[in-house]
């Protein structure tokens, strides 16, 4: 257990992984504070696998309330089938739970994101040009973008993201995209997933898509609301559906 480590001026409140390969199994990171990555910071092509790991109440004074993944690094969650939990993470800027940028990637199967908060991307923020990330069999509940869009997920320009078997419930954004907000020229594929009672103070109670391609297969939208337009889905520019 890594608990209560105060490291607000350094990256990685508990651990920084610089160019190394690391597996973390059956562990907990609770109440740690870091500059980038309240618990973990991955940099310079680091490769990290997490299985049966709980993150609770970690905080970043910049981005990545629980984890920051940067500079070509890769983060794989539950590769052996054990659930990972990300609860009550807080980031001052982006990614209340996980922040991904600079050609880094995220591959996640069977994990829970509950009650994480950030300005943008309440749970997950991905800004990795031409990067491909995937999220499978996961629950996003009660995450909040407190000063922007993407209550659960924000991903930026030229990112490919695929999700399958994901449940989004009671997430909220104070701007466009109660659940997901995208940047320009992105591709977003959603399969066999459910959006229930999510909300946006702007457009797109479920999804806000900007200048990109959105693919929907066996997706349910129920009880989502937006203050402006598109209770389920809204978009701008050149959007293909």
């Amino acid at each position: 257990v890594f608990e209560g480590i105060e490291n607000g001026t350094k990256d990685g409140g508990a651990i920084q992984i610089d160019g190394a390969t690391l597996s973390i199994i059956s562990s907990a990171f609770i109440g740690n504070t870091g500059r980038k990555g309240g618990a973990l910071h991955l940099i310079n092509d680091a490769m990290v696998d997490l299985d049966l790991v709980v993150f609770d109440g970690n905080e970043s004074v910049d981005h990545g309330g629980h984890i920051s993944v940067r500079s070509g690094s890769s983060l794989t969650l539950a590769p052996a089938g054990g659930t990972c939990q990300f609860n009550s993470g807080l980031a001052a800027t982006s990614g209340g739970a996980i922040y991904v940028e600079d050609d880094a990637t995220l591959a996640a199967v069977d994990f829970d994101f509950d009650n994480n908060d950030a300005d943008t991307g309440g749970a997950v923020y991905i800004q990795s040009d031409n990067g491909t990330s995937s999220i499978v069999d996961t629950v996003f509940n009660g995450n909040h973008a407190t000063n922007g869009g993407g209550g659960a997920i924000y991903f930026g320009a030229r990112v490919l993201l695929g999700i399958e078997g994901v449940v989004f419930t009671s997430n909220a954004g104070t701007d466009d995209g109660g659940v997901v907000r995208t940047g320009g020229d992105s591709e977003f594929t959603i399969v066999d997933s459910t959006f229930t009672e999510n909300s946006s103070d702007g457009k797109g109670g479920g999804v806000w898509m900007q200048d990109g391609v959105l693919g929907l297969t066996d997706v349910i939208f129920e009880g989502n609301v937006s203050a402006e337009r598109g209770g389920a889905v809204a978009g701008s520019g050149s959007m293909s559906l």
Side-chain angles (χ1 to χ4, degrees):
V1 176
F2 297 83
E3 185 171 3
I5 302 171
E6 298 285 342
N7 200 12
T9 62
K10 303 288 182 64
D11 298 336
I15 302 175
Q16 176 169 275
I17 304 98
D18 187 344
T21 299
L22 178 67
S23 293
I24 302 174
I25 302 171
S26 299
S27 301
F29 295 82
I30 302 170
N32 304 289
T33 302
R35 183 175 63 177
K36 297 175 182 177
L40 303 179
H41 183 240
L42 285 59
I43 195 169
N44 295 331
D45 300 310
M47 299 176 64
V48 174
D49 295 342
L50 304 177
D51 243 316
L52 295 170
V53 180
V54 174
F55 294 85
D56 195 349
N58 299 291
E59 180 177 352
S60 167
V61 299
D62 191 343
H63 58 243
H66 296 304
I67 302 175
S68 173
V69 187
R70 304 177 64 224
S71 303
S73 298
S74 64
L75 176 65
T76 303
L77 305 181
T83 299
C84 291
Q85 298 179 18
F86 294 85
N87 306 323
S88 303
L90 177 63
T93 59
S94 307
I98 298 175
Y99 179 93
V100 180
E101 72 167 357
D102 295 338
D103 298 321
T105 60
L106 170 67
V109 179
D110 190 14
F111 62 107
D112 297 333
F113 286 110
D114 292 326
N115 300 310
N116 300 284
D117 289 351
D119 269 9
T120 304
V124 176
Y125 184 102
I126 303 172
Q127 183 61 72
S128 185
D129 282 2
N130 301 311
T132 300
S133 292
S134 62
I135 299 173
V136 179
D137 295 339
T138 292
V139 176
F140 290 83
N141 178 66
N143 302 287
H144 190 203
T146 57
N147 194 34
I153 300 170
Y154 174 94
F155 66 100
R158 297 172 298 280
V159 173
L160 281 70
L161 175 63
I163 69 171
E164 183 173 355
V166 178
V167 175
F168 298 98
T169 305
S170 301
N171 302 283
T174 56
D175 200 344
D176 302 332
V179 176
V180 179
R181 177 171 179 163
T182 78
D185 299 321
S186 293
E187 184 173 333
F188 186 26
T189 303
I190 310 172
V191 178
D192 191 25
S193 297
T194 303
F195 294 72
T196 305
E197 296 183 358
N198 304 285
S199 63
S200 166
D201 291 345
K203 299 176 283 291
V207 176
W208 168 259
M209 190 84 189
Q210 178 181 345
D211 295 322
V213 177
L214 176 63
L216 302 174
T217 304
D218 296 329
V219 180
I220 297 172
F221 291 91
E222 183 175 0
N224 304 284
V225 297
S226 68
E228 297 184 29
R229 59 183 170 86
V233 178
S236 71
S238 176
M239 183 181 78
S240 300
L241 178 62

